Every structure is written in C-alpha cells, then in structure tokens.
Amino acid sequence: MNLILLGPPGAGKGTQAKLLEEGFGLVQVSTGDMLRAEVKAGSEIGLQAKAIMERGDLVPDSIITAMLAARVSRPDAAKGFILDGFPRTVPQAEALDAMLSEKSLSLDHVIELKVDDAALVERISGRYTCGNCGEGYHDSFKQPVKPGVCDKCGHTEFVRRADDKAETVAARLSAYHRQTAPLLPYYGAQGKLKAVDGMASMTSVAAALSVIVKG
Ligand code: AP5
Ligand code: MG
Ligand code: ZN
C-alpha cells in the first residue's frame, strides 16, 4: 500500500502519517522532516535548503526528487509508504510517477486533508515538539498530561519549528495554493484522489483514513 497525504501546511499530514505507520506498518516519508535533518546536520542539502525553508518557499524540485528517490529505495519502504509533504509541484508528481513505474510500483490512494486557512494558522502557531523524541504537542489542542514533561519520554525541553512564525506561515500557505493545489486535478484525472475532512478531530480523521486504507 503506497499513499500520498496531500494538504496545506498544518493540515495534519504528519500527525496522521504517524498514526498510519503505527496502525498499518507503513513507513512515513516526510520530505520536510528529511530536510530539517539535513539542516541540523549542516549537510550540503541542508545549507541549500535552510534559508528557503525559513522564507516559506519550496526547495528546488531537483534536490527533492533525488532525496526522495534515495529514500524509497531503502529496504523498509518495501512495506509500503506514506508520502507526507511530497509531491508538492506538478514536476515532482511527474518524477514520482516515472520513479514508481521504473520500480513496478504504484500509488493506491492520494488523500487530500481539507482544512480552512484560518484553522491552519491556529494549528501551526500553537505547535511544538519534544526536543528529545519528537512527540508532537499543541498549546490548545494537545498539552502533555503533566505540564512541561513529555508524555512519551519524560524530557522537559520542547522546540518550535523555525518556519512556524506567522509571517512564514502566510508564505507557506501561498506556496501551497500556487504550486501544490494543481496536484488535486492532476491526481483527480488519474482517478486516485479522495478527500477527507481535516477539520474534524484527530481521531475522526484517523478513522476516515483507516476506512480508505482498509478498502
Ligand atoms: P513540511 O515539513 O512538509 O511542512 P508543511 O507541509 O508546511 O506541513 P506541516 O508539517 O507544517 O503540517 P502537517 O500537515 O504535517 O500538520 P501536523 O500534523 O504537524 O515542509 C516544510 C518546508 O520544507 C516547506 O515549507 C518547504 O520549504 C520544504 N519542503 C518540504 N517538502 C518539500 C517538497 N516536496 N518540495 C519542496 N520543498 C519542500 O499538524 C499541525 C498541528 O495541528 C499540530 O500541532 C497538530 O497537533 C495539530 N492537529 C493535527 N490534526 C489536527 C486535528 N484534526 N484537529 C486539531 N489539531 C490538529
Ligand atoms: Mg508535517
Ligand atoms: Zn519526548
């Protein structure tokens, strides 16, 4: 089972990809997480991507598709993968189609998480993660059970993403509408697109995704 979770920044792609990973044994492939790891490591890709990401723009297709090709070639991806944050442009989608057909693989579903822009800003600006294990939290929607202590690992330091500032969020949303929204008709024409109401609670969204994945 190979899936794409498509949706604007803050739609819940990462949240739901993690749940699908736990529930169905699929592998989450997040180009955003991969890029943040490159930035942290100070690699060549990281150096190129850092300023672009902080502005809220998209990293060039050539960098992204090379990174993605290497990732889906790793053995664990054979279990099936959930693409989170990729593709984000029509050229990336075309490169993915070529890559999959070369490996005799295919996409089972492209699932759009539909969320209003106003809700996205609120979700992103309240988001933070555990500095140790990466567990996600939110100022209003998901606080640790014991204030200031990670539920999963007990760590007490948390981090916020450099691109989660209000002005950057606006640039990310505009990049989504301009460059990524054209993928909706692209996958619609392939008969693969399904939409889920991403405004619903995390558990309702997860339930709707489960129904699609179980077929
Ligand atoms: P990326 O890391 O992919 O970020 P994004 O698409 O902007 O999406 P987010 O990670 O912000 O949101 P999400 O949909 O994962 O939501 P989440 O589950 O966290 O990309 C970052 C940057 O990297 C890009 O701007 C670009 O520069 C670069 N990049 C990455 N991929 C690229 C590519 N393919 N091409 C070019 N450049 C690329 O949820 C958000 C918050 O809401 C959380 O706090 C969560 O707890 C909460 N929440 C989730 N679901 C719900 C719900 N149902 N109800 C209430 N709250 C909810
Ligand atoms: Mg994410
Ligand atoms: Zn933790």
Side-chain angles (χ1 to χ4, degrees), residues 20-104:
L20 287 167
E21 210 175 38
E22 288 163 16
F24 294 93
L26 304 171
V27 175
Q28 175 192 16
V29 175
S30 160
T31 44
D33 287 349
M34 290 161 75
L35 288 168
R36 282 184 286 280
E38 299 282 355
V39 170
K40 203 169 170 193
S43 70
E44 184 62 36
I45 290 179
L47 292 174
Q48 291 182 61
K50 187 171 189 284
I52 300 173
M53 292 170 77
E54 283 175 4
R55 281 202 305 273
D57 289 337
L58 296 186
V59 174
D61 291 337
S62 55
I63 295 180
I64 297 288
T65 48
M67 200 175 72
L68 196 278
R71 179 64 188 90
V72 297
S73 298
R74 282 186 13 212
D76 63 340
K79 294 190 282 187
F81 47 78
I82 309 150
L83 298 178
D84 156 10
F86 177 92
R88 256 177 153 93
T89 63
V90 171
Q92 288 182 19
E94 290 168 347
L96 176 65
D97 281 344
M99 204 185 299
L100 292 175
S101 81
E102 210 173 275
K103 294 178 191 291
S104 303

Side-chain angles (χ1 to χ4, degrees), residues 7-16 30-33 35-36 49 52-54 56-61 64 67 84-89 92 113 123-124 126-128 136-139 141-142 161 163-164 172 198-203 205:
K13 302 182 295 293
T15 302
Q16 297 299 331
S30 160
T31 44
D33 287 349
L35 288 168
R36 282 184 286 280
I52 300 173
M53 292 170 77
E54 283 175 4
D57 289 337
L58 296 186
V59 174
D61 291 337
I64 297 288
M67 200 175 72
D84 156 10
F86 177 92
R88 256 177 153 93
T89 63
Q92 288 182 19
L113 297 177
R123 284 188 187 184
I124 294 175
R127 171 173 62 183
Y128 60 97
Y137 295 97
H138 192 280
D139 292 326
F141 308 130
K142 190 189 164 205
R161 266 168 53 177
D163 61 346
D164 280 352
R172 285 162 58 198
M199 297 288 287
S201 69
M202 288 181 207
T203 47
V205 175

Side-chain angles (χ1 to χ4, degrees), residues 156-169:
T156 52
E157 272 162 65
F158 296 86
V159 289
R160 290 183 190 258
R161 266 168 53 177
D163 61 346
D164 280 352
K165 299 183 200 78
E167 59 276 21
T168 318
V169 172

